[in-house]
Amino acid sequence: MDTTASVTAVEGDTPRGFAFAVACYTLWGLLPFYMKAVEHMPAAEVVAHRIIWSLPIAGVTLYALGRTADVKRALRSPRTLAMAALTASIITINWGTYVWAIAAGRTIETALGYYINPLVSIVMGAVLLGEKLSRMQMVAAALATLAVVILAVDAGGVPWVSLVLAFSFAIYGFLRKTLPIGPSQGFFLEVMILMLPAIGYVLWLQSRGESHFLVSEPGNVALLLGCGPVTAVPLILYAFGTKLLRYSTIGILQYIGPTMIFAIAVFIFHEPFGTTDAIAFGLIWLALVIYSWSMVRGRRALRPA
């Protein structure tokens, strides 16, 4: 997932923007099915192919939009390249954790991670940027923290998958805003930077006879080639959708993805979901209702009389 594109302020939501965003979050919500299909491959190999086959799709999109000049300018800026390398590294950690967690039967933890991500982001804004939290936002953050503590006590350890996903995504989003480049251009720059190490890793696997990208295994080849579209297409849809929707609308729609992931984990993958999990998720859902209501109320307060 990547819900961190810069958002241009718009006066109202548009049907096209809504359609783009819903399509994007629905595709992200269905992603566990694809990750299950590649669970027999190492997570690092899957991530490498996500990078390699995303690049041509991102490149064609930029060319079609006539935005290649933005990337050329970025390539001449050492600061931009350094920041893009940092954000690329962080999103790679996020992708790798997500792929591994689905294969390990910990899909519920990934849903939890993406549920608490927006709450982590508002706390980071308060701590790092001095943004003032409303009472409702503080209550939402406290409920999310309580949910994590309950899960940690019950499991005898912190739910690290959820926390890695939530914090890596929040940090990625925070740093991504410092890139003086649009979301689609930034994504292309990131995968371009990651391309050489990804290709190097794939070639290393080939030399050791451990690669799944083999002519003798056409099913695996197709799945690895498909890693490009399932990574790039939702990101492109999101980039278009955010330009045509208000930020508060995006904030509420982003729960489509983790809700679908949660339902898939419980009802299709049949992952264990006990009483403690139900209590923790209940607290998270209550926190998100409070958080969403605070956004809606804040938007109404800003409307001109």
Side-chain angles (χ1 to χ4, degrees), residues 35-198:
M35 294 300 105
K36 273 294 183 185
V38 297
E39 67 177 350
H40 59 288
M41 307 182 204
E45 184 177 11
V46 174
V47 171
H49 283 277
R50 289 186 75 173
I51 293 165
I52 292 168
W53 306 115
S54 290
L55 186 64
I57 297 173
V60 169
T61 301
L62 283 187
Y63 181 80
L65 294 174
R67 305 307 299 265
T68 55
D70 296 340
V71 176
K72 292 178 182 177
R73 282 193 295 270
L75 291 174
R76 293 193 293 268
S77 169
R79 180 182 178 277
T80 299
L81 287 174
M83 287 302 301
L86 178 59
T87 57
S89 300
I90 293 170
I91 199 60
T92 301
I93 293 171
N94 183 276
W95 286 351
T97 303
Y98 181 79
V99 173
W100 176 87
I102 300 295
R106 303 174 74 163
T107 309
I108 288 178
E109 293 181 53
T110 70
L112 175 64
Y114 288 118
Y115 271 133
I116 66 177
N117 168 252
L119 303 175
V120 170
S121 295
I122 63 170
V123 172
M124 282 184 59
V127 174
L128 299 177
L129 300 177
E131 296 177 353
K132 188 175 180 181
L133 296 181
S134 68
R135 288 184 180 179
M136 295 176 74
Q137 288 175 328
M138 287 190 286
V139 169
L143 288 172
T145 302
L146 178 59
V148 172
V149 170
I150 289 173
L151 289 172
V153 171
D154 180 66
V158 296
W160 68 269
V161 168
S162 303
L163 294 179
V164 167
L165 289 175
F167 277 90
S168 63
F169 212 55
I171 294 169
Y172 173 76
F174 177 81
L175 294 175
R176 190 68 170 71
K177 292 178 181 179
T178 66
L179 277 178
I181 193 170
S184 298
Q185 300 94 312
F187 174 63
F188 177 83
L189 188 60
E190 287 167 346
V191 291
M192 185 180 69
I193 290 171
L194 293 169
M195 172 66 78
L196 283 180

Side-chain angles (χ1 to χ4, degrees), residues 8-15 17 241-247 249 299:
T8 305
V10 292
E11 294 183 358
D13 300 326
T14 68
T242 51
K243 293 181 180 180
L244 302 171
L245 292 175
R246 288 170 289 197
Y247 185 70
T249 302
R299 187 176 73 185

